[in-house]
Amino acid sequence: MMEQDIQEILFSQAALERRVKELAGELRRDYAHKAPLVVGILRGSFVFMADLVRHLDFPLTLDFMAASSYHGAQSSGKVNIQLDLHDDIAGRDVLLVEDILDTGNTLSKLVAELRSRNPASLKLCVLLDKPDRRTQPIQADYVGFTIPDAFVVGYGLDYEQQYRNLPYIGVLKPSVYQG
Ligand code: IMP
């Protein structure tokens, strides 16, 4: 079973629920009268996004994106958008929702791309922040939890597309990815 692969539970279902509710309170203060476009970055954000928006009691619209960075020596500095937004964001107040901010490679490029489309504002809300691993000058405007450098899964986060359905966030046993 999946639990056997988890070394330690970092955030229980109850802890996640509490913190997501608090974040929603912060967002209500900033967005209640802006009818924002809330953009989930697939796939990792899907659980967080679903919980978060159900605590937002003001008008908003939703969209999703999927992106990856080009890696390796051929890195062009451009983001590879696999799924783009449905509508134009010019003049919109856009809130990006992501599971985790790690090196910042993908998100910094995605943010640059979206800024070039002239939204009225663009902010970033992440459930988890791993600042120790950052290589790009990017910060989130809303952060659920700041965590140390460990590989975590659950609540949308995966290892090789698995564990996303765990209802809590746990540290994966290194033996799982060290073979
Ligand atoms: P970045 O471009 O290095 O910031 O990569 C961010 C992406 O890497 C996230 O959207 C996650 O998909 C993935 N990621 C980074 N750290 C973890 C982790 O601890 N567990 C699962 N996925 C992670």
Side-chain angles (χ1 to χ4, degrees):
M1 293 307 287
M2 286 189 294
E3 291 95 88
Q4 291 169 348
D5 296 341
I6 302 302
Q7 178 170 293
E8 174 199 357
I9 294 181
L10 270 192
F11 306 110
S12 67
Q13 244 178 304
L16 288 166
E17 205 173 299
R18 265 197 309 276
R19 185 63 189 128
V20 169
K21 216 167 163 174
E22 284 174 7
L23 276 178
E26 291 181 39
L27 294 172
R28 186 181 303 117
R29 273 204 313 271
D30 297 348
Y31 286 101
H33 305 290
K34 291 190 168 166
L37 173 64
V38 181
V39 174
I41 312 296
L42 296 175
R43 288 171 247 181
S45 71
F46 84 105
V47 179
F48 175 41
M49 173 107 158
D51 282 349
L52 186 65
V53 297
R54 281 179 291 173
H55 289 296
L56 301 178
D57 56 357
F58 50 84
L60 57 83
T61 55
L62 294 180
D63 207 343
F64 296 93
M65 285 188 97
S68 64
S69 291
Y70 291 109
H71 287 298
Q74 292 296 310
S75 178
S76 64
K78 278 216 80 163
V79 67
N80 177 24
I81 294 178
Q82 291 151 341
L83 173 72
D84 207 342
L85 297 173
H86 197 265
D87 296 310
D88 187 12
I89 59 169
R92 295 295 305 272
D93 289 295
V94 177
L95 179 68
L96 277 182
V97 176
E98 176 61 306
D99 54 354
I100 187 166
L101 183 54
D102 188 28
T103 66
N105 282 329
T106 313
L107 270 178
S108 58
K109 289 174 194 162
L110 194 59
V111 164
E113 163 62 29
L114 293 180
R115 281 204 195 290
S116 76
R117 302 181 188 183
N118 300 314
S121 69
L122 180 62
K123 287 190 180 186
L124 178 57
C125 175
V126 298
L127 179 64
L128 304 175
D129 187 8
K130 263 196 228 177
D132 296 348
R133 298 241 318 152
R134 198 82 86 257
T135 58
Q136 301 296 322
I138 180 171
Q139 268 176 260
D141 302 282
Y142 307 90
V143 175
F145 299 100
T146 300
I147 62 169
D149 180 13
F151 198 83
V152 295
V153 294
Y155 199 71
L157 289 121
D158 76 305
Y159 170 65
E160 295 195 336
Q161 300 305 331
Q162 294 195 63
Y163 307 100
R164 293 193 196 275
N165 53 320
L166 282 176
Y168 53 81
I169 289 178
V171 177
L172 197 61
K173 283 183 186 166
S175 59
V176 175
Y177 49 87
Q178 282 164 2

